[in-house]
Amino acid sequence: MAPEGVVGIDGGEVEMAEVTWNPKKEEREIMFLYHFFEDDIGEKVRRRRGYSIPGIEDAANKLNSFTSDLATYKWGGDLLFEKLRTIKLKTHGRDFEDPREVKRMMLDIFYHHCISLESFNWISPDNERLCNFIWASLLSSHSYQYGLKCNQTLEITDDEDDMDNRTREPEIDILNLNKSVYHQLNLPIHVNKSHDKIKYIIRFFDLWDESVDIKERQMKKFEDAWLKIKNKSKMEDWLNKNEAIVSWAWEYTQKKYLKFKTPDWVDISRSNNDEQIKATLITLYDLLPLEHRKIWMASLRNSGSQQKHRQKTSDRKVINVPLSEEHHEKLKKMAKDSNRRIYQMVEDMIEKEYQKYYP
């Protein structure tokens, strides 16, 4: 059991100052330090066996006890000293006996590893498309040359001698979830609201085992990428003009480009909602390189036009009506000049006549 105080210079007992972590005001600090000292708190072994991230209250309570232990026991001072020495932070021996100083030194560790909250201010929870873009990028990325590389690209072969590949359709490369850095950090996969996505975007950058410099560079890459795509609205415009085939567009994409696989960031299985599907298609569009967007959009436009035509003609019956050559030519001319098909001209004329007789 931990002693209630420490011995002062005069031999009397000095009361230990109580120091706690505030879950509402220090959530970032608590979750980072909880994971940073995970081995020492005794949690990492359990984590390897399917351990899930604790709630903020639970993490704060464990960190409170751990902070108190660091200031109370000699091994705690040695442990914290070694942690601080690895990141070249200066310390003073007496600081390890004061819980307030112990907390301050632990916060120094946090500031050494984590970028400022202001670095995330450009990601607004009101901008769903932006939140989806960053969120999906993290779930689709692996470590690559001191940063992240997103794997949402079309696999297109350039080998003209490979007859098998020459006939193969382009396919969107889906990163295996187990390979993503996000998954390795054991962060939640199913997150719906933009506010929560930002929360775990920040948590990702806090826990990602890279230097502050690399984290800031990666954030700048995301910001630069967003500046290039934020005004690209071709997918959104196409979906708004083709409301009737939104569900078809996702099914078509899954079949032709995803080979019936679904990216881990997609969450529309519980509700076949057109707005969710729109958001998913727009996010996929944002993730793809420019040349791959063009290939996919051209395919969607072409096949979408055919699908709309099939929908329009699916409820019509084919009938044979004998017309004179003269009237047939007149009908063709009227259809051409009004930019309509012949069956549309006939339907309109029937509708007008029908209203005369049966108003």
Side-chain angles (χ1 to χ4, degrees), residues 6 26 63 78 224 262 268 292 318-319 352:
V6 295
E26 300 174 305
L63 200 60
D78 294 341
D224 290 344
T262 303
I268 56 176
H292 296 175
V318 178
I319 59 175
K352 289 178 183 178

Side-chain angles (χ1 to χ4, degrees), residues 97-110:
E97 298 175 6
D98 185 345
R100 291 167 299 188
E101 289 300 314
V102 168
K103 180 175 179 178
R104 179 190 61 77
M105 290 185 284
M106 292 173 75
L107 285 172
D108 286 341
I109 293 174
F110 167 79

Side-chain angles (χ1 to χ4, degrees), residues 335-358:
K336 181 179 179 181
D337 292 345
S338 62
N339 197 28
R340 285 179 288 178
R341 296 181 180 275
I342 289 178
Y343 73 83
Q344 291 174 317
M345 287 294 305
V346 174
E347 286 180 346
D348 289 345
M349 289 188 287
I350 292 174
E351 191 65 30
K352 289 178 183 178
E353 290 299 310
Y354 188 89
Q355 292 299 326
K356 287 182 183 179
Y357 291 102
Y358 311 103

Side-chain angles (χ1 to χ4, degrees), residues 16-115:
M16 294 284 285
E18 184 179 2
V19 173
T20 58
W21 296 87
N22 190 320
K24 293 183 179 179
K25 296 180 180 180
E26 300 174 305
E27 182 174 356
R28 280 187 73 194
E29 293 88 339
I30 291 169
M31 296 310 294
F32 168 79
L33 290 167
Y34 176 86
H35 283 82
F36 186 83
F37 288 100
E38 206 167 23
D39 278 326
D40 309 301
I41 295 176
E43 297 293 323
K44 185 151 288 190
V45 173
R46 289 164 53 194
R47 183 177 175 185
R48 293 195 192 104
R49 299 172 184 168
Y51 172 68
S52 59
I53 294 177
I56 182 62
E57 295 286 347
D58 188 25
N61 289 334
K62 290 179 179 179
L63 200 60
N64 287 338
S65 298
F66 183 66
T67 306
S68 176
D69 288 346
L70 286 177
T72 302
Y73 297 113
K74 185 178 185 302
W75 69 266
D78 294 341
L79 167 67
L80 186 56
F81 177 78
E82 287 301 317
K83 297 282 188 182
L84 292 166
R85 190 174 67 170
T86 58
I87 58 177
K88 299 179 180 178
L89 290 179
K90 294 182 179 180
T91 60
H92 302 284
R94 292 296 298 272
D95 292 342
F96 295 96
E97 298 175 6
D98 185 345
R100 291 167 299 188
E101 289 300 314
V102 168
K103 180 175 179 178
R104 179 190 61 77
M105 290 185 284
M106 292 173 75
L107 285 172
D108 286 341
I109 293 174
F110 167 79
Y111 297 132
H112 180 83
H113 287 87
C114 300
I115 59 180

Side-chain angles (χ1 to χ4, degrees), residues 165-176:
N165 281 337
R166 283 172 62 187
T167 59
R168 198 179 73 186
E169 294 284 356
E171 178 181 350
I172 295 177
D173 178 25
I174 302 299
L175 176 69
N176 185 307

